[in-house]
Structures are given as C-alpha cells and as structure tokens.
Amino acid sequence: MRIEPLLSHLDREDPGGVLGLYLFGSGAAGGLTPDSDVDLLLVTRRSLGEDERAALVSLLLRLSGWRGHAGRFPGAADRRPIELTGIVAGGEPSRRDFQYGEWLREEFVKGLLPGPAEDPDVVILAATAHAAHRVLRGPALAEVVDPVSPDLLRDAALGVIPGLLSEIEGDERNVLLTLARIVVTVETGRIVSKDTAAAMVGGGVLLEHARAGYLGTASDDWTGLSAEVASLASALADRARGV
C-alpha cells in the first residue's frame, strides 16, 4: 500500500492547515489482515473547504480500493482500502470534519463530498490512535489531540451500537466483531483488535466464524444465518449496555 501520493498532496496543498497525519489501527500494530483498512487520522487547524474536500476525495478514489469491489468497481478491487478521518484540533471530541472509506465509494463517485458531522465513533478512533500509532506528519499525537477519558470512551462506544444494529445485513462480520470489541472496551477500558475481542468475548460458532473471516482463514459466507446473527448482535449489545 503506497500512501506517498497522499503525503505529497498534504505537503503541497496543506488542506485545512495540516497539523499531523497518524497511522493507527492494524497498520500501526503490524496486524493487517486481507480486508484491513489502512487507518489514518488527519488533524487540521480548521475545517476543510469544499475544494479541499473534493481534491482529497479524488486522490483517495485513485489510491484506495477493496477486493469486494470486484463486481461494481473492478478497477479498485486490487487495492488496499484506506479509511481517512479528519478532525479539527481543539474541536468537540465527537465532531468529525472529514471521512473517506470504501463503503462510501459509490457516493463519492457520484460527486457527493464528506462534510462535518457528529459521530461518536470519532472518539473511539482517537482513543485507538492514542493507544498505538505511527507519526507520518507532525508532532506526537498527544500534542495536537487530547487523550480520551475512560468515561467519554465508554459513552462513545455505547453510542455507536444503534447504528451497528441497523447495518447488520450485508455487513455481518464487521458488525459482530465491532460489537465484541465494544464489549471489551466497556468491560475493561481497553481497545483491542477485532480478532482479539472475539476471542476474549466468546460467542460460539458465529463469532468464531466472523473472526476466521476477518483473519482470512475461512470464507465469509453468511447465507441463511440472518436470524442467528441478529440474535447474537442483540446479545452482545445487551452485554455492553449491562442489560
């Protein structure tokens, strides 16, 4: 995965007044799986302008991809997916200024641009980045983004559950593994990888199936399992909420 064109773009265009760019998640921990995103956190002085958003999306559409796009976007199917989240330094912890992800490719191809939005997942991303990251541009992350308090992290983790439960169909593996990770975060205060969370939580055959699919050791087929997946997702959500 080459991100040099992205680094050059940030150096040259300085969208939003770049303070730092940080690699986090599996890429920073050395645990990239076949479908793992390259997770990047962009910290800027101000919100990006429309032209800056358009230029960044245009570049990422050329750099990023996903093997699941083979049918709809075959030209992007042989690339590693990039998930780039932008935040403004000193802003509200749950305020996202920009986000690119391959699940949004169809919208971006149509010309839609990612704008600022409230998103509790940004708190979790920031906490994950603080836990393990690599500086690609700028100073140490702690110098531009405040650490996330345990209470804020817990509230944010619980806050993303409704959205996950509404998106199960077609994204079974990711939803189950993310819910497992939320359970671990709420119960221990730690942020761990999805496969580690699945092993820690224990969820029987279905969660092990999700874990194997994530690691690329088994097929990712969820045909005929809708009811069982929904039941497990509900149980994991209830456990996280302490129900």
Side-chain angles (χ1 to χ4, degrees):
M1 173 73 232
R2 293 179 64 252
I3 61 170
E4 287 85 356
L6 173 62
L7 298 176
S8 296
H9 177 86
L10 297 180
D11 291 342
R12 182 179 64 254
E13 303 297 334
D14 196 27
V18 175
L19 290 175
L21 181 71
Y22 306 88
L23 173 71
F24 68 101
S26 301
L32 284 174
T33 68
D35 283 331
S36 291
D37 294 324
V38 173
D39 295 304
L40 299 169
L41 181 65
L42 174 66
V43 185
T44 60
R45 293 185 176 86
R46 58 168 175 78
S47 180
L48 272 62
E50 185 172 352
D51 289 346
E52 292 173 325
R53 294 177 193 278
L56 200 49
V57 166
S58 178
L59 174 63
L60 290 168
L61 283 171
R62 299 194 301 272
L63 296 179
S64 177
W66 176 52
R67 61 179 180 170
H69 287 326
R72 183 72 177 84
F73 302 106
D78 61 346
R79 305 178 202 149
R80 171 75 67 174
I82 296 174
E83 181 177 336
L84 187 148
T85 302
I87 61 175
V88 177
E92 290 296 320
S94 60
R95 185 72 170 173
R96 162 171 46 85
D97 186 62
F98 176 93
Q99 188 167 64
Y100 179 94
E102 281 303 311
W103 69 93
L104 298 169
R105 173 172 285 268
E106 187 162 358
E107 295 181 12
F108 294 152
V109 168
K110 292 178 180 177
L112 298 179
L113 297 176
E118 290 298 317
D119 182 1
D121 194 45
V122 173
V123 175
I124 302 172
L125 295 183
T128 304
H130 273 291
H133 67 271
R134 200 169 89 210
V135 179
L136 300 180
R137 288 292 185 273
L141 179 61
E143 294 183 27
V144 291
V145 178
D146 291 334
V148 177
S149 71
D151 287 345
L152 183 59
L153 176 58
R154 181 181 185 278
D155 289 346
L158 294 176
V160 303
I161 289 176
L164 287 170
L165 294 178
S166 71
E167 299 168 355
I168 295 176
E169 187 174 355
D171 197 21
E172 293 87 353
R173 184 190 73 194
N174 180 62
V175 169
L176 291 178
L177 293 178
T178 302
L179 286 169
R181 188 160 62 176
I182 288 172
V183 168
V184 172
T185 296
V186 170
E187 293 182 351
T188 71
R190 296 169 55 202
I191 295 178
V192 300
S193 66
K194 290 178 179 177
D195 58 306
T196 299
M200 291 175 67
V201 168
V205 174
L206 274 186
L207 202 52
E208 181 54 36
H209 179 57
R211 183 173 182 269
Y214 174 78
L215 294 173
T217 60
S219 64
D220 200 20
D221 185 4
W222 296 89
T223 304
L225 296 174
S226 297
E228 292 89 340
V229 169
S231 178
L232 177 56
S234 179
L236 291 171
D238 285 348
R239 177 172 167 179
R241 292 165 171 155
V243 176

